[in-house]
């Protein structure tokens, strides 16, 4: 397991006093990432920060969840600090700014009334997620006695953390437990990704691959089907292979789905190893300039379509 060797210290100035805040690892923020990190215990868990209530709103749904988190941390014997919103702002600056921006839309009276809904409630100081190598999974897979065909997802150099988070969230929703990313060239699995995934990052298994072509070759010899996304194109397509609408896809083998980089798509060496290309066909003629889907939206549609075929296959 990975341990930060250096403890970061900074003086944090508040109006009356100066307060040193020490943290060792990454600062996870948001109810879902923190809750799931505590439940899964994949990371090293250092300390929990909970924002002290400014208003008596303990009855709200949000606070019920905060007190649940508080209890889990106590059971695990993790130190819990009750802090104010300034400390939260210091620990996870991006997160709070985003929330405060939303507040501007409200009048002063409403802002006071509703502010507790918008201000970040919890942060967790935790170690990085342990790095998994794809060879590790080969042993596990034989033990998995599932009647369903396995579906694995490869993110080929998807770089935007919001996209990566959104895709991980959808993948978990559709029952994918194993996800693969390229070593080095993919986006870092940061607290931002965990937040964007609504904590699914804490639950799903993410493996690192160094050579995607080698990985795919191995899986092909084991009888897996390699499906890749291709851009829908009315006239000229760059790939020589046919691109099917995802709803016409038939699934009868264990499947690996590859999602390509936002801009570049799937490199040619990888395309050569793919059995089928899928796309989402539009339901009417495309307006010029609005001719594609956001990669995380496309991922959601394709994952839904493939996972429902897997389900019907096993019935
Ligand atoms: C695609 O959607 C995600 C959220 O699902 C968003 O964060 C990202 O910025 C979008 N990408 C583009 C290019 O609009």
């Amino acid at each position: 397991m990975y341990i930060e060797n250096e403890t970061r210290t900074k003086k944090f100035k508040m109006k009356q006093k100066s307060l040193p805040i020490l943290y060792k690892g990454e600062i996870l923020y948001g109810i879902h990432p923190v809750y799931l990190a505590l439940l899964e215990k994949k990371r090293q868990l250092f300390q929990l920060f909970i924002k002290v209530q400014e208003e008596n709103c303990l009855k709200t749904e949000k606070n019920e969840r905060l007190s649940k988190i508080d209890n889990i941390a106590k059971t695990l014997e993790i130190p819990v600090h009750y802090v104010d919103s300034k400390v939260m702002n210091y620990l996870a600056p991006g997160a709070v700014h985003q929330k405060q921006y939303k507040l501007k839309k409200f009048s002063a009276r409403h802002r006071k009334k509703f502010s507790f809904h918008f201000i970040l409630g919890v942060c967790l100081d935790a170690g990085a997620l342990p790095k998994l190598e794809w060879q590790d999974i080969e042993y596990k897979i034989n033990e998995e006695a599932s009647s369903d065909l396995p579906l694995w997802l490869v993110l080929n150099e998807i770089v935007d953390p919001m996209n990566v988070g959104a895709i991980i969230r959808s993948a978990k929703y559709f029952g994918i437990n194993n996800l693969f990313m390229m070593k080095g060239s993919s986006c870092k699995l940061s607290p931002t990704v965990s937040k964007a995934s609504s904590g699914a990052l804490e639950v799903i298994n993410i493996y690192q691959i160094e050579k995607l072509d080698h990985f795919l070759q191995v899986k092909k010899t084991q009888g897996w089907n390699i499906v890749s996304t291709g851009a829908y194109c009315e006239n000229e397509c760059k790939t020589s292979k046919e691109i099917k609408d995802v709803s016409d896809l038939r699934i009868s083998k264990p499947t690996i789905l590859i999602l390509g980089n936002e801009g570049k798509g799937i490199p040619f060496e990888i395309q050569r190893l793919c059995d089928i290309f899928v796309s989402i066909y539009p339901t009417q003629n495309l307006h010029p300039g609005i001719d594609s889907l956001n990669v995380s939206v496309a991922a959601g549609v394709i994952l839904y379509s493939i996972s429902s075929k897997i389900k019907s296959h096993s019935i």
Side-chain angles (χ1 to χ4, degrees):
M1 204 172 256
Y2 168 73
I3 304 173
E4 283 261 339
N5 49 12
E6 172 199 341
T7 300
R8 276 171 265 169
T9 315
K10 264 192 187 173
K11 284 250 163 179
F12 175 71
K13 293 215 187 318
M14 296 212 295
K15 261 183 197 154
Q16 278 99 10
K17 54 185 175 188
S18 170
L19 166 78
I21 301 165
L22 303 142
Y23 58 94
K24 280 186 176 172
E26 300 178 348
I27 299 290
L28 287 182
Y29 59 92
I31 299 258
H32 295 286
V34 170
Y35 176 66
L36 291 167
L38 290 172
L39 280 190
E40 293 295 312
K41 299 189 276 288
K42 285 187 187 175
R43 299 173 182 264
Q44 274 195 298
L45 305 167
F46 301 122
Q47 52 188 335
L48 181 72
F49 297 90
I50 298 182
K51 193 174 80 73
V52 194
Q53 304 308 316
E54 281 165 357
E55 303 208 21
N56 184 18
C57 52
L58 285 161
K59 299 276 165 340
T60 66
E61 191 202 344
K62 195 157 183 178
N63 279 292
E64 227 171 78
R65 289 186 290 172
L66 276 186
S67 59
K68 208 166 165 187
I69 288 174
D70 187 35
N71 287 334
I72 300 172
K74 283 180 180 143
T75 314
L76 296 173
E77 298 180 354
I78 297 160
V80 183
H81 308 282
Y82 303 96
V83 297
D84 67 9
S85 46
K86 285 176 191 161
V87 176
M88 282 296 182
N89 190 13
Y90 166 78
L91 289 168
V96 179
H97 287 154
Q98 214 177 351
K99 308 277 174 182
Q100 281 173 345
Y101 170 74
K102 280 191 192 158
L103 287 179
K104 285 185 192 152
K105 285 192 274 190
F106 294 88
S107 71
R109 194 169 59 88
H110 279 90
R111 230 177 287 165
K112 190 160 189 294
K113 194 167 167 202
F114 291 118
S115 60
F116 60 84
H117 278 309
F118 295 117
I119 292 178
L120 185 69
V122 66
C123 280
L124 179 69
D125 177 8
L129 279 171
K131 295 195 164 95
L132 306 171
E133 301 287 330
W134 74 268
Q135 280 86 350
D136 301 346
I137 202 179
E138 299 290 329
Y139 305 104
K140 262 200 267 169
I141 212 73
N142 299 328
E143 296 165 16
E144 263 177 39
S146 163
S147 57
D148 285 349
L149 290 170
L151 173 62
W152 291 359
L153 182 63
V154 174
L155 305 188
N156 184 50
E157 304 186 7
I158 296 185
V159 287
D160 176 4
M162 302 305 276
N163 278 335
V164 172
I167 293 169
I168 291 172
R169 182 178 184 172
S170 303
K172 189 63 206 164
Y173 192 90
F174 293 119
I176 292 179
N177 293 313
N178 300 313
L179 195 143
F180 300 80
M181 289 173 83
M182 285 338 102
K183 219 177 221 173
S185 56
S186 295
C187 111
K188 205 176 142 258
L189 299 175
S190 63
T192 310
V193 174
S194 189
K195 182 73 170 81
S197 78
S198 194
L201 175 68
E202 307 302 318
V203 180
I204 205 164
N205 300 319
I206 301 191
Y207 297 87
Q208 310 245 346
I209 335 180
E210 204 150 356
K211 294 195 175 99
L212 181 56
D213 49 353
H214 174 63
F215 170 74
L216 296 177
Q217 264 152 5
V218 170
K219 298 314 288 179
K220 273 166 90 86
T221 58
Q222 295 172 353
W224 287 57
N225 214 4
I226 315 294
V227 178
S228 165
T229 52
Y232 168 78
C233 43
E234 263 170 307
N235 306 314
E236 285 170 56
C237 286
K238 279 185 204 143
T239 50
S240 51
K241 292 185 190 171
E242 180 203 6
I243 299 181
K244 271 194 178 165
D245 183 50
V246 67
S247 59
D248 297 330
L249 187 67
R250 298 277 161 267
I251 301 281
S252 56
K253 290 184 191 175
T255 301
I256 290 177
L257 173 69
I258 309 174
L259 291 175
N261 169 288
E262 292 96 332
K264 293 181 287 180
I266 315 261
F268 185 68
E269 325 77 85
I270 303 303
Q271 287 188 19
R272 278 189 356 210
L273 297 166
C274 298
D275 301 302
I276 310 164
F277 289 86
V278 291
S279 190
I280 302 161
Y281 283 19
T283 49
Q284 58 179 23
N285 287 341
L286 294 174
H287 191 280
I290 315 174
D291 58 357
S292 68
L293 288 173
N294 177 308
V295 66
S296 70
V297 173
V301 174
I302 292 177
L303 289 172
Y304 170 71
S305 182
I306 296 184
S307 64
S308 61
K309 281 170 212 290
I310 285 176
K311 236 198 280 169
S312 58
H313 182 272
S314 66
I315 291 168

